[in-house]
Structure formats: C-alpha cells, structure tokens
C-alpha cells in the first residue's frame, strides 16, 4: 500500500459497549463450536446448554445495561437505539425459551429429537457409529447462537450492506437447523431445502434492490437514502424499483403473502423447538429490520409504498386465516396462524407514526412469547413415531390431561386476541395506531380476519375438551424442568401482558424513535 493510500484510510470508530449484546452471543456461538471440538462427548450436551443459556442471559443483561444508549457506530453501519434494543431484548427472551425447549430433548429425558437415529440405517453398528448415528446433535446450540447474532444485528443495521450481512448470518444456520429432525428425515430435509430456496429468493431480491438504491442515492446508508429521496424527483424509477425489491426481500423473511407459500412446509418439517424459534425470533428480527428500513429510509415516501403495503397486509391476514381453517395438522395450523399475525403486525407498520412503531414492538413481544409457548406444548404430545400433530389425535386430550389442555387453550385464545390476554392488547395497540394513521378500512379487514382466525383456534379447544378421547390416543409427556420453566414464563407473560400491559406499552413507546 502506498503512503498516500495508507494516510487516506481511517478505521471507523466502534463503540464496543453499545454493541456488546451482539458480541456476547457471537462469542457464545464460537465457544459452542470449541465445546463440540474439544469437550468429551458425554459432557457436550450439558456444556452446550450452559454456554447457550449463559450467552443469551448475558446478552439480555447487556441490552438492559445499554438501554439508554442512542448512538450510531461502526462508521454509521450500526444504530443502537430504542427500537433496536427492544427487538434485541425480545429476541433474547424468545431464544432463551426455545433453548430451554431444546435442552430437554436429549435421550435422558425421553425426547431424542436431536439424536441421529440408527434404526433405519443399513450397515454394521460400527459403520453407523462412524457415520454419526446414535450421537447427540449438539451442533444445534452454536447454530442457534449464530442465528441469534444475526437477529441482533438485523434490526440495528443502519445501512443496506450491513443489513444484508445480518440477513445471511441469521439465515444460513436456520437452513441447517431445519434439517435436524431425524425421526422424519425426509420431511425435515425437504423443509431445509425449501427454506434455503426461500432465503435465496429473499437475498436475490434484496441485493437487486440494494444495487438500485445505491445507484439512486450514491450511498447504502438509510439516512442518505432518506435525504436523497427527500430532495430528489418523486417517482424516480430507480427509487421506486429499489423500494419494491427491498420490500419483497424483507416480506419473504416475515412470511407475508404471497411470499409465504413454503413457510407452512418448513414449519411442519423442522424439529418443533426449531419451529418455535423460527416462528418467533426470526419474525421478530425481520420485522425489526423492516420497520427500520421503511421508517428511516422510506418514511417520507409513504404515498409510494403504503398502497402496496395495504394490499399485502390484507392478503396476508386473509390468506393466513382462511388457509388455517382448512388444516388438519396442528403444526401447520399454527404455521398459517403465523402468516396471519404477520399481516396484523403490518397494520402497525402501515400506520407510519410513533404509535404504530411502539404498537408493533409490543405486538412482536407478545406474539413471540405466546408462539414459543404454543409450540412448546406441541412437543409434549407424542405418538410412538414422534409428535402427534394431526388434529384427530388431540380429541379429548383436555379431558385426559386438563393442565396441558388448559395451557394450550390459553395460548390459542391469546393468539386469537381474546380479552385479558396479551394477544388482545397487541392487536388493540396496532389497530388503534392504524386508525390514528388514517387506515381505518384496514382495521376493519383486520377485525374480520381476527374473527375468522378465532374459529380455527376454538375448533382445537372444542376438540380437546368436548370430543371423546381416542382409544389409542397419544401420550402426554411430562415436561422436563427447563421446558416447564419456558412454558411457565410464556404463560405468565401472556397473562400479565394482557391484564397489566401499561408498563411494557410505556417502555415500547419510550423506545419508539429511530436514530438516523
């Protein structure tokens, strides 16, 4: 390098304290890889569980420690502000609950979901052992932590290149995690391939949009794009196409219609704790990124993208609700439910005001915790071949196991938005923000979609408590200590945020302004 080039280069200033939550989970992921490489096999599972829990707990504490930080660091690439920290705290909570569900799936507690099965594999026992069958899949923990690191970075990215890096960091581990269900290997591997293709489409659209926006603004910074759009000519082709392609890339990640088509297949094929993690944490992080991009970079262009967003939100709410009614598999029903909830959260995004931002943040917290709880209950209802997810197998389950049936019913009622649950307060927050933002017709459609969604939730409750139990019904497995803790926290949060939501609503409202 010439002396002149060396003199012109200045390393960006980085506030390591502000980005400490991201650093902690990344270090925990790297430590998890080292544990798999050097710790004796018999100790790997508990060691990985400890590293993951400590990493997530430490990152949550770090988020709380920097709660009042508002700074743009790393050369303007990362913004540490209220919305980013709120999203990071939410991701930490739902990821911790998901890790607790995974931790109780080892053979010692009768789960075995993350143990490579040897029974259907040809060859001698030595050959099967050499291929890895019969071993704990402890790599799930570092993969989860790497995905969490990407999810922490995604809503904090302040330029499009950093946003793309975060998108890939969170997505690549998820492709592998989807394929770890060994009892249903073909279905799980199909889910992994489909999720990889969805991710590839998302990345391709996002990169093309990034290139067009760079050509328009001469910068990938969200603030610079906002300034260029504010001073440029309205209707500029590069700007409009860039907004559309970036939006499509992000809509793939949140599972909005019509970009949702393989999401139910992915959720059904992946191991259920991984499904809980994807349905909650991935959606939370993706919405955090979408909110930052459209509020910071395109906030002054609502007349350009809001009409299209109206159509996407309406289609997403209706498609998720209608298709969920037709499902006979409880896991697929919850998958389509997550699609409908993406539409409800989009109502808050479209409001394009402070109330819409704070309402969306609150909704993401309530949705994430309730969703993890609902999928956590699914892991406890099992047939000899694995989890019993067909709706007919749940007949009379609430009469045979009132505690589990009541807990699942409570989570379903929260997802339906019944009063005195967190789901009701979340919908109230985004719907009231949309009304104040002039989107009352959208709220009417949302109310209709909510009524439709209530039908398929109540149908499961009726099946559990009012149908005759099947003679060879599934076994309800007692949860391990960690799973029980995760379910208890999810249930308590669902109740408390429905009855006493104001402190968290105030916190979300205080966190609402974005930094540019």
């Amino acid at each position: 390098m010439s002396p002149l080039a060396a003199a012109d280069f200045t390393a960006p200033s980085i506030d390591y304290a502000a980005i400490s939550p991201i650093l902690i989970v990344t270090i925990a992921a790297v430590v998890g890889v080292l544990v798999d490489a050097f710790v004796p096999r018999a100790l790997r599972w508990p060691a990985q569980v400890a590293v993951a829990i400590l990493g997530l707990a430490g990152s949550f504490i770090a988020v709380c420690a920097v709660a009042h930080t508002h700074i743009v660091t790393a050369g303007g690439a990362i913004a540490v502000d209220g919305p980013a920290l709120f999203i990071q705290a939410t991701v930490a909570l739902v990821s911790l609950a998901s890790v607790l569900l995974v931790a109780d799936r080892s053979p010692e507690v009768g789960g075995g979901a993350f143990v490579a099965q040897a029974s259907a594999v040809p060859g001698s026992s030595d050959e099967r052992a050499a291929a890895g069958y019969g071993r704990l899949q402890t790599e799930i923990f570092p993969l989860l932590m790497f995905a969490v690191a990407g999810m922490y970075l995604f809503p904090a990215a302040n330029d499009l290149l950093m946003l793309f890096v975060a998108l890939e960091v969170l997505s690549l581990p998820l492709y592998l995690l989807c394929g770890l269900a060994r009892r249903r290997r073909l279905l799980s591997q199909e889910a992994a391939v489909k999720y990889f293709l969805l991710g590839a489409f998302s990345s391709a659209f996002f990169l093309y949009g990034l290139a067009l926006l760079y050509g328009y603004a001469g910068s990938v910074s969200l603030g610079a794009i906002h300034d260029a759009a504010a001073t440029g000519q309205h209707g500029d082709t590069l700007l409009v196409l860039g907004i559309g392609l970036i939006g499509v890339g992000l809509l793939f990640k949140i599972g909005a219609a019509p970009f949702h088509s393989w999401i139910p297949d992915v959720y059904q094929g992946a191991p259920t704790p991984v499904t809980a993690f994807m349905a909650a944490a991935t959606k939370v992080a993706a919405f955090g990124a979408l909110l930052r991009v459209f509020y910071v970079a395109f906030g002054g262009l609502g007349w350009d993208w809001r009409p299209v967003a109206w159509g996407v939100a309406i289609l997403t709410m209706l498609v998720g609700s209608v298709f969920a009614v037709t499902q006979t598999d409880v896991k697929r029903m919850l998958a389509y439910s997550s699609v409908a909830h993406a539409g409800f959260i989009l109502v808050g995004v479209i409001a394009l005001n402070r109330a819409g931002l704070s309402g969306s943040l609150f909704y993401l917290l309530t949705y994430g915790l309730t969703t993890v709880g609902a999928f956590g209950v699914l892991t406890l209802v099992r047939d000899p071949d694995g989890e019993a997810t067909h709706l007919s197998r749940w007949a009379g389950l609430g009469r045979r196991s009132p505690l589990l049936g009541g807990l699942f019913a409570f989570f379903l009622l929260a997802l339906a938005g019944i009063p005195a649950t967190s789901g009701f307060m979340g919908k109230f927050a985004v719907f009231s923000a949309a009304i104040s933002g002039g989107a009352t017709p959208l709220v009417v459609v949302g109310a209709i979609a909510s009524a439709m969604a209530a039908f398929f939730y109540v149908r499961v409750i009726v099946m559990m408590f009012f149908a005759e139990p099947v003679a060879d019904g599934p076994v309800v497995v007692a949860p391990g200590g960690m799973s029980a803790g995760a379910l208890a926290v999810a249930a308590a949060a669902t109740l408390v945020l429905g009855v006493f939501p104001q402190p968290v609503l105030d916190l979300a409202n205080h966190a609402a302004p974005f930094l540019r």
Side-chain angles (χ1 to χ4, degrees):
M1 180 181 293
S2 67
L4 179 59
D8 290 341
F9 176 78
T10 303
S13 174
I14 300 177
D15 189 329
Y16 290 101
I19 64 171
S20 58
I22 303 172
L23 297 178
I24 290 172
V25 292
T26 305
I27 291 171
V30 173
V31 171
V33 174
L34 297 178
V35 167
D36 244 20
F38 297 108
V39 172
R41 187 181 304 166
L43 301 177
R44 284 179 194 167
W45 188 271
Q48 291 282 21
V49 171
V51 169
I53 291 176
L54 289 175
L56 291 169
S59 67
F60 181 79
I61 294 171
V63 170
C64 296
V66 299
H68 299 291
T69 301
H70 291 79
I71 188 174
V72 176
T73 186
I78 299 176
V80 180
D81 53 16
L85 294 172
F86 193 97
I87 292 293
Q88 288 174 355
T90 302
V91 170
L93 291 175
V94 297
S95 300
L96 184 57
S98 301
V99 166
L100 293 178
L101 294 179
V102 172
D104 274 342
R105 302 281 281 184
S106 63
E108 288 77 9
V109 295
F114 300 106
V115 183
Q117 302 296 314
S119 56
V121 181
S124 67
S125 58
D126 291 339
E127 290 171 339
R128 291 196 294 265
Y133 291 96
R135 297 178 183 173
L136 285 171
Q137 294 174 278
T138 51
E139 63 270 20
I140 185 174
F141 294 103
L143 288 173
L144 274 169
M145 297 305 291
F146 277 119
V148 171
M151 292 173 188
Y152 274 32
L153 184 58
F154 207 27
N158 199 47
D159 68 43
L160 295 179
L161 278 178
M162 186 61 71
L163 204 67
F164 177 72
V165 170
L167 174 65
E168 295 305 303
V169 172
L170 78 88
S171 297
L172 293 175
L174 293 177
Y175 305 149
L176 299 175
L177 290 170
C178 287
L180 292 182
R182 293 300 185 179
R183 289 183 181 273
R184 296 169 288 112
R185 269 193 305 166
L186 293 179
L187 190 62
S188 183
Q189 290 168 0
E190 178 187 345
V193 172
K194 287 183 175 180
Y195 200 51
F196 169 75
L197 292 176
L198 281 175
F201 290 139
S202 174
S203 298
F205 280 108
F206 189 93
L207 274 178
Y208 199 2
L210 184 156
L212 293 178
L213 289 174
Y214 179 74
Y216 173 80
S219 173
V220 293
S221 169
L222 299 183
I225 293 170
H226 174 273
D227 295 339
T231 58
Q233 293 295 320
H234 292 305
D236 188 282
T237 303
L238 287 179
L239 176 62
V240 173
L241 289 177
I243 293 173
L245 291 170
I246 289 287
V248 168
L250 293 174
L251 290 172
F252 267 111
K253 297 309 294 184
I254 67 173
F259 314 105
H260 71 290
S261 56
W262 282 341
I263 291 293
D265 298 337
V266 173
Y267 284 12
Q268 184 181 21
T272 300
V274 173
T275 302
F277 176 69
M278 290 193 300
T282 304
K283 197 176 293 292
V284 169
F287 262 107
L290 185 142
L291 284 165
R292 181 173 295 279
V293 169
F294 279 86
Y295 274 61
V296 174
F298 309 138
L301 301 171
W303 56 270
D304 271 332
W305 58 264
R306 282 186 81 193
V308 177
W310 272 58
V312 172
I314 291 172
L315 184 64
T316 302
M317 290 186 289
L318 294 179
V319 166
S321 299
V322 170
F323 278 85
V325 172
T326 66
Q327 301 306 309
T328 58
D329 186 278
V330 179
K331 203 171 178 183
R332 284 185 71 87
M333 184 203 73
L334 290 177
Y336 277 107
S337 166
S338 76
V339 173
H341 281 281
F344 296 137
I345 303 170
L346 278 174
V347 173
V349 176
I350 291 169
L352 202 59
N353 53 31
R354 179 166 179 159
L357 176 55
S358 63
S360 299
L361 294 176
F362 180 79
Y363 198 124
L364 289 169
L365 175 62
T366 61
Y367 163 80
L369 292 172
T370 303
T371 298
V372 171
F375 280 107
V377 173
L378 278 182
T379 65
L380 304 178
V381 183
R382 299 181 192 165
D383 278 332
D385 294 331
E387 292 160 357
T389 59
H390 197 278
L391 185 59
S392 62
R393 304 294 292 163
W394 287 64
L397 191 69
R399 296 162 65 175
R400 291 173 44 217
S401 181
L403 180 59
L404 181 130
L407 185 61
F408 193 56
F410 179 59
F411 288 133
L412 292 179
L413 292 175
L415 291 172
I418 300 301
T421 65
S422 61
F424 172 79
M425 293 308 305
K427 286 184 179 177
F428 179 81
V430 295
F431 286 173
S432 60
I435 291 174
S436 66
T440 302
L442 191 60
V443 174
V444 173
V445 177
I448 295 172
S450 297
M452 295 168 58
F455 169 78
F456 58 80
Y457 292 126
V458 172
R459 181 182 62 171
V460 177
I461 296 173
V462 170
M463 179 74 73
M464 288 193 299
F465 287 97
F466 297 101
E468 288 296 324
V470 293
D472 57 342
V475 175
V476 176
V477 179
M482 293 187 179
S483 293
L487 292 174
V489 169
T494 301
L495 177 62
V496 171
L497 292 177
V499 179
F500 303 108
Q502 198 57 49
V504 181
L505 283 170
D506 292 339
L507 184 63
N509 187 58
H510 179 71
F514 276 114
L515 280 178
R516 281 197 172 92

